[in-house]
């Protein structure tokens, strides 16, 4: 899934920025906040925090709130509001690399032939599932 949410960037006293996503933090039981020592780092951390929070919400089956229009958001003094995008499917593909064991059944003759030809059955199944599910890898 792809999302775009406004983030509020507040200058931190010690430098850098604190980042908050009010649509998530204020309207769900999840907190979506981060910080960065520089603007570049704060933007990167904001994208990561948003992806991780939304991925967790999807996994938990929690409803994703509606994103406010950027014009509805108020910037703090010296701060600003910026839109941050998230692609939770791409984030999953990058970070959820856990292996899961699946028990499959194939005909004996196919097992013998595949083993004889040193087929990596797990890789073949993964490739077939990616094709079947039309997953587009970056």
């Amino acid at each position: 899934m792809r999302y775009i949410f406004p983030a509020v960037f507040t200058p931190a006293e010690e430098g850098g920025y604190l980042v908050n996503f009010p649509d998530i933090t204020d309207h769900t039981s999840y907190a979506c906040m981060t910080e960065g020592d520089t603007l570049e780092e704060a933007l990167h951390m904001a994208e990561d925090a948003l992806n991780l929070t939304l991925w967790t919400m999807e996994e938990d089956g929690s409803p994703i709130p509606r994103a406010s229009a950027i014009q509805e958001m108020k910037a703090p003094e010296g701060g600003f509001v910026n839109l941050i995008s998230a692609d939770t499917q791409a984030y999953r593909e990058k970070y959820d690399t856990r292996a899961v064991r699946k028990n499959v059944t194939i005909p004996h003759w196919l097992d013998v032939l595949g083993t004889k030809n040193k087929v990596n059955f797990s890789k073949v199944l993964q490739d077939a599932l990616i094709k079947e599910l039309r997953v587009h890898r970056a």
Side-chain angles (χ1 to χ4, degrees):
M1 294 291 300
R2 292 178 185 220
Y3 306 92
I4 297 177
F5 276 89
V8 178
F9 289 72
T10 304
E13 287 183 24
E14 60 279 356
Y17 292 90
L18 305 174
V19 185
N20 179 36
F21 291 87
D23 290 324
I24 297 171
T25 302
D26 296 348
H27 303 292
T28 72
S29 60
Y30 297 83
C32 190
M33 296 178 263
T34 191
E35 61 184 285
D37 292 335
T38 64
L39 178 57
E40 181 180 354
E41 184 178 275
L43 286 164
H44 174 75
M45 295 299 291
E47 183 180 334
D48 188 60
L50 182 60
N51 270 292
L52 181 58
T53 302
L54 293 172
W55 172 20
T56 302
M57 292 175 74
E58 289 173 353
E59 292 288 310
D60 291 347
S62 298
I64 307 295
R66 181 187 67 81
S68 297
I70 196 168
Q71 301 85 347
E72 297 173 14
M73 307 301 289
K74 296 199 183 332
E77 186 174 328
F80 62 94
V81 177
N82 196 46
L83 293 175
I84 304 294
S85 65
D87 181 341
T88 55
Q89 182 60 39
Y91 196 80
R92 272 185 187 85
E93 289 175 20
K94 184 174 182 180
Y95 292 107
D96 191 4
T97 58
R98 300 170 289 176
V100 178
R101 180 173 290 282
K102 290 290 182 191
N103 185 17
V104 299
T105 304
I106 60 173
H108 180 261
W109 67 266
L110 199 52
D111 178 50
V112 170
L113 188 60
T115 302
K116 180 180 176 183
N117 286 283
K118 298 183 174 142
V119 169
N120 180 334
F121 290 95
S122 292
K123 172 123 176 49
V124 170
L125 178 58
Q126 287 178 42
D127 291 345
L129 285 169
I130 287 169
K131 182 177 178 184
E132 177 70 21
L133 298 171
R134 295 180 179 92
V135 174
H136 300 285
R137 301 194 89 154

